[in-house]
Amino acid sequence: MTDAPLVQLKNIGKEFANGVVALEELNLTIHAGEFLSLLGPSGCGKSTALRLIADLSTPSQGQIEWHQGHDARQTLGFVFQDSTLMPWTSVYNNVWLPLRLAGVSKSQADYRIHEVLDLVGLRAFESAYPGELSGGMKMRASIARALIQRPQLLLMDEPFAALDEITRLKLNNDLLQLKAELAMTIVFVTHSVYESVYLSNRIAVFASRPGRIVRQIEIDAPYPRDLSFRHSELYAKSCQDASEALQSAMSEQDHL
Amino acid sequence: MARATPPSRAQRSYALARDWLIHSALPLLVFLASLAVWEGLVWLKSIPPYLLPAPSRIATTLIADWDTLSASLYVTLRITFAALFAAMFGGVGLAIVFTQWKWAERSFFPFAVILQVTPIVAIAPLLLVYLDSTLAVLTCAFLVAFFPILSNTALGLASADRHLVDLFQLYRASRWQQLIWLRLPAALPYFLGGLRIGGGLALIGAIVAEIAAGSAGQGAGLAFRIVESGYRLNIPRMFAALVLISITGILIFLFFTLLSHLLLGRWHESARKTES
């Protein structure tokens, strides 16, 4: 189901102003339609890689090449770890924001706003303020906002890390369903082995100082995935592989 | 596990009555009691009104001298609010300029600090030399009210959520879009905090400057009445003018507190009711 490359990171290096090398010699190809997880210990540069793709930060070395025209780049969706909603206004206005900034009026955007709110199951809460929602609902609103521009590429930076286990499992399933419905490419940063195995086609395991990819694991299970996948041998095997890769990445770090 | 049943109507009205007692009735009672003690002491010790007038005497003076006092109150109020409005627009405007252009902040912030740290009583006589007295008083009140509004708003504009700033950058928001839809709303709680402090300070500035201006004042405000009554040993009128100043200060504070609740009630932690 994965095919042509969508974005390629070539020999990317990123050094911060304080001299910390966040990434070194990073090569990563993101294929159209895949679900790619970036897995690693905290501080390994996986979030930095995501920010570089989103153009929120510029690489010190190397290039980022976009393949399929500029559409994917223009409509890019981004979901932050905390839901990052504007607390002073309603869910509706928060979801409208990307279109509003692009000059789309409320009446023009209305249909689209309701469509994405339906997708994430928040239609009934459109006039609620973020402070009135639970953590999971805030994250849904944040996802709705990221979806409003019909992104080809959705970048997610540990979106469910702060949520409780039950909410997280529910949102994992909902995310897979959204991906299937909208035919998006997703790059998902996480530090959870189980989450990355359950969701992705491919996992890039990062090591830190300097941040780099130490191993890539393909997970050859078909979608849709459900509870039976969690009980399958492939799931267990992939979790073991990913854990081992993560362990070795982290023990390497200890030697430094 | 037993589920908590919703409180009955009787329990709710009992809770409401208790809340009212603690929040309103009790402070009011203590206030009235202290007035009664004051009144009683004055009568018992037969303290003459030119030393300490009883509250009842202050009240009758307030009514008897209302014509003079209300005219002065109007003068003081006009100066306070004119200064506060000027400080509000000046403070917010300059805060916006500071956040949009870093060089402007570097260049002009020292001036704001110098004006703030120099006591207003020390500046007032100088202003009286250069400006006519009403304008001098207005300028003093403006100077003290201006800084808290400027610094609070500037702080608010600079403390928008880092990830929200990223988000606006991601969606290629222009500098002005970012200002209007992100930085200004994020600064609102800070601005209102500054306004509440500035409101009180504008009144203080107006009073202090009026006292410094002394007899030079043409439109005589409440502070001038206090000074004048002091010269004439009209102590009850001094107290009456003082009462009016206090009430004005309290009303300004209450007004801005209410405004904060109205504007922030639904989203900001400072104004949201705690859920129990």
Side-chain angles (χ1 to χ4, degrees), chain B residues 84-232:
Chain B
L84 188 58
F85 272 108
M88 194 170 87
F89 286 110
V92 172
L94 203 58
I96 290 173
V97 170
F98 281 3
T99 43
Q100 296 294 297
W101 295 286
K102 274 281 163 234
W103 61 264
E105 181 174 10
R106 287 260 165 193
S107 324
F108 292 108
F109 203 68
F111 286 99
V113 174
I114 290 167
L115 283 175
Q116 168 65 16
V117 296
T118 315
I120 200 67
V121 214
I123 307 178
L126 204 59
L127 287 173
L128 283 160
V129 173
Y130 298 124
L131 304 170
D132 86 78
S133 62
T134 311
L135 198 58
V137 173
L138 186 67
T139 308
C140 285
F142 165 79
L143 285 178
V144 286
F146 171 73
F147 192 78
I149 297 177
L150 167 69
S151 60
N152 271 32
T153 310
L155 179 69
L157 288 171
S159 42
D161 183 321
R162 191 168 46 85
H163 285 142
L164 274 174
V165 175
D166 278 346
L167 190 82
F168 273 67
Q169 195 189 329
L170 183 79
Y171 292 121
R172 286 170 285 275
S174 70
R175 202 136 66 124
W176 294 105
Q177 282 179 321
Q178 199 185 88
L179 177 70
I180 289 164
W181 284 323
L182 173 60
R183 296 202 179 269
L184 283 178
L188 188 64
Y190 296 83
F191 163 70
L192 288 167
L195 201 58
R196 203 152 46 171
I197 301 168
L201 284 178
L203 181 65
I204 293 173
I207 299 292
V208 166
E210 242 178 59
I211 287 180
S215 55
Q218 290 171 341
L222 283 173
F224 175 73
R225 288 292 161 228
I226 288 180
V227 174
E228 182 201 47
S229 312
Y231 288 140
R232 296 182 183 175

Side-chain angles (χ1 to χ4, degrees), chain B residues 227-246:
Chain B
V227 174
E228 182 201 47
S229 312
Y231 288 140
R232 296 182 183 175
L233 283 182
N234 189 347
I235 309 301
R237 195 196 263 190
M238 265 177 112
F239 270 96
L242 197 59
V243 167
L244 285 179
I245 292 172
S246 295

